[in-house]
């Protein structure tokens, strides 16, 4: 299959390190710094890391139209190529998982490995309800949105270990870091569907299942691992936020797998 033409890489991007390529796709309502910040230096220690911020996140201007999964995937690939990476692994977290899957489906000649964390092939009923609430609160009440996100994203172990003041600080921090483009990103998360891509993925794939996750269920994680040819599944005992609850363990899953499959 001939390589697809790539658009101009226009999304703001983070570039760190040197070595084999690793492209990063962040979660909805977040950014590269907020999704991968705790492990960025570790990832960049032996890899050239390129991550994009979606419209309304980081330094990328907010979109005035609904987001397209194809556009996000093509922009991720275009950014990596613009930084001199002809081939690269892709790590996708939450909404970034379908972005990574679509990138691998549309540009199989470039993607050497996939690591998919806390993510999904399509929205189930729980996520449909959650993204509807998320979308509305992002437009009307950031404080209440932050409480909702902490409740939904925190693992049971992590939440119950928090003293009252730490829980309050988590809500304040979350409210302060809600991306302006959250409504559009949550809307995309509530309608995406990459199930038709899964059987065609050629890249070796690792699915990291966050076992206490209320946003993306383990059922969805297993569906990915069962449908992508040759995919491997590992579990991490966290809610939706492995970068907060177990960052070192999460980083090791990513780097060990992509190093194993680096040509």
């Amino acid at each position: 299959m001939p390589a697809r033409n790539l658009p101009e890489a226009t999304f703001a991007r983070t570039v760190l390190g040197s070595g084999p390529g690793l492209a990063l796709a962040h979660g909805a309502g977040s950014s590269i710094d907020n999704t991968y910040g705790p492990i960025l230096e570790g990832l960049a220690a032996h890899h050239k890391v390129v991550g994009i911020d979606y419209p309304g996140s980081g330094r990328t201007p907010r979109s005035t139209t609904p987001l397209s999964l194809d556009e996000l995937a093509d922009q991720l690939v275009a950014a990596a190529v613009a930084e001199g990476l002809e081939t690269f692994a892709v790590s996708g977290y939450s909404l970034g998982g379908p972005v990574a899957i679509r990138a691998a489906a549309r540009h199989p000649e470039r993607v050497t490995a996939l690591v998919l964390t806390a993510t999904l092939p399509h929205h189930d009923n729980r996520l449909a309800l959650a993204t509807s609430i998320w979308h509305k609160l992002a437009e009307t009440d950031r404080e209440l949105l932050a409480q909702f996100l902490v409740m939904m994203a925190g693992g049971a172990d992590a939440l119950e270990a928090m003293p009252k003041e730490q829980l309050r600080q988590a809500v304040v921090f979350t409210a302060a870091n809600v991306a302006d483009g959250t409504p559009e990103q949550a809307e995309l998360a509530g309608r995406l569907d990459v199930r038709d891509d899964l059987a065609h993925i050629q890249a070796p794939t690792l699915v990291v299942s966050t076992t206490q996750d209320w946003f993306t269920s383990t059922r969805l994680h297993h569906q990915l691992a069962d449908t992508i040819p040759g995919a491997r599944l590992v579990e991490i005992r966290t809610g939706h936020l492995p970068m907060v609850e177990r960052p070192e363990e999460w980083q090791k899953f990513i780097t060990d797998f992509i190093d194993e499959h680096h040509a």
Side-chain angles (χ1 to χ4, degrees):
M1 178 185 297
R4 288 179 183 269
N5 291 331
L6 289 171
E8 179 186 357
T10 58
F11 290 5
R13 58 187 182 261
T14 297
V15 184
L16 294 170
S18 61
L22 173 59
L24 304 180
H26 68 73
S30 186
S31 65
I32 287 298
D33 283 345
N34 285 339
T35 291
Y36 287 98
I39 66 171
L40 267 177
E41 288 189 7
L43 294 177
H46 302 288
H47 303 86
K48 183 169 185 177
V49 174
V50 179
I52 60 167
D53 287 321
Y54 309 149
S57 291
R59 294 175 289 108
T60 304
R62 189 172 177 180
S63 177
T64 58
T65 59
L67 299 182
S68 158
L69 191 63
D70 285 355
E71 181 186 18
L72 299 189
D74 286 354
Q75 280 288 331
L76 179 63
V77 173
V81 172
E83 294 298 333
L85 299 176
E86 291 300 315
T87 61
F88 42 86
V90 182
S91 170
Y93 163 81
S94 193
L95 174 61
V99 174
I101 289 166
R102 184 58 54 83
R106 287 171 65 82
H107 306 278
E109 75 286 352
R110 296 198 182 275
V111 177
T112 59
L114 286 176
V115 181
L116 308 172
T117 302
T119 191
L120 64 155
H122 66 102
H123 68 276
D124 58 6
N125 287 339
R126 179 192 296 276
L127 188 61
L129 293 169
T131 52
S132 176
I133 296 169
W134 191 3
H135 182 276
K136 290 175 183 176
L137 290 178
E139 295 182 317
T140 60
D141 191 332
R142 284 201 174 190
E143 173 69 22
L144 190 57
L145 172 63
Q147 293 181 37
F148 172 74
L149 292 176
V150 170
M151 176 190 71
M152 289 291 291
D157 293 344
L159 277 177
E160 293 310 310
M162 286 185 186
K164 185 175 181 180
E165 177 59 21
Q166 186 181 359
L167 183 61
R168 187 191 71 81
Q169 291 174 356
V171 171
V172 170
F173 176 84
T174 300
N177 285 278
V178 172
D180 290 342
T182 293
E184 296 82 46
Q185 295 174 27
E187 189 275 333
L188 175 60
R191 62 176 161 84
L192 60 80
D193 190 335
V194 294
R195 284 175 289 185
D196 287 346
D197 294 334
L198 301 183
H200 305 291
I201 297 300
Q202 300 174 19
T205 300
L206 179 70
V207 177
V208 182
S209 176
T210 38
T211 61
Q212 297 183 355
D213 201 327
W214 279 76
F215 265 122
T216 63
S217 70
T218 56
R219 177 177 172 274
L220 293 174
H221 309 158
H222 281 265
Q223 185 178 355
L224 286 169
D226 291 344
T227 310
I228 296 173
R232 184 189 311 172
L233 183 137
V234 295
E235 294 183 341
I236 185 168
R237 189 180 172 86
T238 70
H240 198 63
L241 303 174
M243 74 292 293
V244 173
E245 297 177 35
R246 293 178 181 257
E248 295 86 1
E249 186 177 348
W250 185 38
Q251 178 194 313
K252 191 171 190 304
F253 277 141
I254 296 171
T255 53
D256 283 358
F257 188 77
I258 62 177
D259 287 348
E260 176 185 343
H261 294 283
H262 171 58

